[in-house]
């Protein structure tokens, strides 16, 4: 039975990846932080077979202890402070967790592997935010990185550290440069879920408007369930490498509003949407669109869920969730 350790187990991707690995027959361990993490019950409900081990990405000694208990063949480093807007107000903390945390995890993994570096494979959750002020359209593995937020800068550090451990120590360490991926499990602070939750509440008559920031930014949005499959495929390759995981399509926040409101039968969403500078960012990433051709050619991976279907799925889920809350 192969063994995997996932950091960020309580997050959107951690939950989907746990389900995928359990279905493949893995024994799955998850790093969970805090003495009474409120998401412990969520993991237990979604994937009760996962064994939770306490630890924090900022504590190398704790990570080493967790690795020695889990004895993993594969390590998926998904833990991070992942909300871009939050990273400006908490730049130092974001650097410690999202940036230095990667180094901590790589080093703990190297020490755990000891003389036999081949005994473990490592996945790093890199991000399209690293492209920031994009230098090429679409963005591929060779596009110059130009991060625009403390989060993006921290991810660049983690990305290059992962490559450095591969090149310096021969570690099977791969980096997935994942573009935005969403689902009914997406945190409500991110724009897709903020919109689908609000649209459901408007339909049910319990909310009047949505307050948003920049409506013109464009993102390449895919389904999280498809993206965790790509993570697993990367670690099954004979050689470690870096891969862009994306749909190759881009949509604006306005497109998102069109699809979300259409799914509740509203054609004109303008009366329900208000813009507020509070949600504007000090520096915006205007356009992201990925070129996933390497992932397709090498991993045989392609996205299964299209943008429209994804947003409709999220609205339907939020309608059910919100109706249950008001009942
Ligand atoms: P998410 O839902 O925000 O989950 C983040 C996870 O990191 C949570 O489990 C959180 O635990 C954990 N975490 C935060 N601080 C930690 C710390 N100090 N020590 C250990 N764990 C900590 O993120 P996601 O959407 O699943 O994304 C997974 C990873 O992919 C992240 O690294 C993210 O930056 C990256 N990524 C995401 C996307 C996307 O579109 N979703 C795209 C590219 C890259 P708590 O529950 O305890 O807070
Ligand atoms: O913003 C605009 C905002 O917060 C998307 C993370 O998973 O993907 C995610 O980062 C866009 C931005 O995601 C609101 O200005 C407008 O242009 O949903 P988001 P993100 O910043 O792209 C990347 C790949 C990651 O790696 C990250 O971890 O939407 N926008 N109005 C808004 N965004 C939010 N959150 N809230 C608004 O009211």
């Amino acid at each position: 039975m192969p063994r995997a350790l996932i950091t960020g187990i309580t997050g959107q991707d951690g939950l989907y990846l746990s389900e995928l690995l359990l279905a493949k027959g893995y024994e799955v361990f998850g790093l969970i932080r805090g003495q009474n993490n409120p998401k412990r019950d969520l993991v237990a409900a979604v994937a009760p077979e996962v064994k939770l081990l306490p630890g924090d990405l900022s504590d190398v000694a704790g990570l080493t202890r967790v690795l020695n208990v889990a004895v993993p063949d594969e390590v998926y480093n998904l833990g991070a402070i992942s909300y871009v807007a939050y990273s400006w107000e908490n730049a130092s903390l974001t650097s410690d967790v999202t940036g230095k945390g990667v180094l901590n995890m790589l080093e703990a993994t190297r020490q755990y592997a000891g003389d036999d570096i081949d005994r473990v494979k490592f996945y790093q959750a890199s991000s399209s935010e690293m492209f920031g002020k994009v230098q090429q359209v679409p963005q591929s593995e060779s596009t110059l990185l130009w991060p625009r937020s403390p989060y993006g800068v921290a991810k660049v550090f983690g990305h290059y550290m992962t490559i450095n451990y591969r090149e310096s120590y021969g570690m099977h360490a791969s980096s997935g440069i994942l573009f935005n991926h969403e689902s009914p499990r997406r945190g409500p602070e991110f724009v897709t879920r903020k919109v689908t939750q609000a649209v459901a509440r408007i339909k049910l008559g319990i909310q009047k408007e949505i307050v948003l920031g920049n409506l013109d930014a464009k993102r390449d949005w895919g389904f999280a369930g498809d993206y965790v499959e790509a993570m697993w495929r990367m670690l099954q390759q004979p050689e470690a490498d870096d891969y862009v995981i994306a749909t190759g399509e881009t949509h604006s926040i306005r497109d998102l509003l069109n699809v979300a409101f259409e799914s509740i039968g509203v054609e004109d969403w303008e009366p329900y949407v208000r813009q507020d500078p509070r949600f504007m960012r000090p520096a915006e990433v205007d356009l992201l669109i990925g070129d996933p051709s390497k992932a397709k050619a090498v991993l045989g991976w392609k996205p299964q869920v299209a943008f429209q279907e994804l947003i409709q799925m999220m609205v339907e889920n939020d309608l059910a969730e919100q109706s249950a809350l008001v009942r």
Side-chain angles (χ1 to χ4, degrees), residues 12-163:
Q12 171 188 253
D13 292 7
L15 293 172
Y16 280 107
L17 183 63
S18 301
E19 287 175 320
L20 179 86
L21 297 181
L22 288 168
K24 288 184 186 296
Y26 278 68
E27 190 161 3
V28 178
F29 295 82
L31 182 86
I32 187 152
R33 74 189 173 113
Q35 64 183 47
N36 185 20
N37 193 311
K39 294 196 187 149
R40 183 177 277 271
D41 292 346
L42 176 64
V43 180
V46 170
E49 300 91 338
V50 169
K51 295 172 186 67
L52 294 174
L53 300 171
D56 194 295
L57 283 169
S58 57
D59 171 23
V60 195
L63 297 176
T64 303
R65 183 178 39 76
V66 163
L67 281 156
N68 286 324
V69 173
V71 196
D73 306 295
E74 297 175 8
V75 171
Y76 294 87
N77 187 36
L78 311 185
I81 288 176
S82 77
Y83 184 34
V84 174
Y86 176 90
S87 78
W88 273 280
E89 282 147 18
N90 301 277
S92 179
L93 181 64
T94 304
S95 305
D96 286 348
V97 175
T98 304
K100 175 104 183 297
V102 183
L103 172 58
N104 291 345
M105 201 62 208
L106 283 163
E107 183 54 22
T109 303
R110 184 174 80 88
Q111 298 208 4
Y112 152 75
D115 292 338
D116 184 11
I117 198 73
D118 292 334
R119 82 185 263 214
V120 63
K121 293 175 179 167
F122 189 97
Y123 172 83
Q124 168 55 20
S126 286
S127 165
S128 54
E129 269 296 300
M130 300 190 306
F131 295 120
K133 188 173 172 183
V134 299
Q135 301 296 299
Q136 203 179 2
V137 178
Q139 296 86 50
S140 73
E141 294 79 6
S142 58
T143 302
L144 182 72
L145 305 179
W146 196 306
R148 293 269 280 172
S149 62
Y151 169 82
V153 174
K155 280 288 177 189
V156 171
F157 175 84
H159 181 67
Y160 282 124
M161 268 302 167
T162 304
I163 295 171

Side-chain angles (χ1 to χ4, degrees), residues 180-194:
N180 299 52
H181 46 281
E182 320 293 313
S183 74
R185 291 177 181 156
R186 187 58 143 152
E189 65 274 38
F190 300 97
V191 77
T192 51
R193 188 76 195 285
K194 184 173 172 180

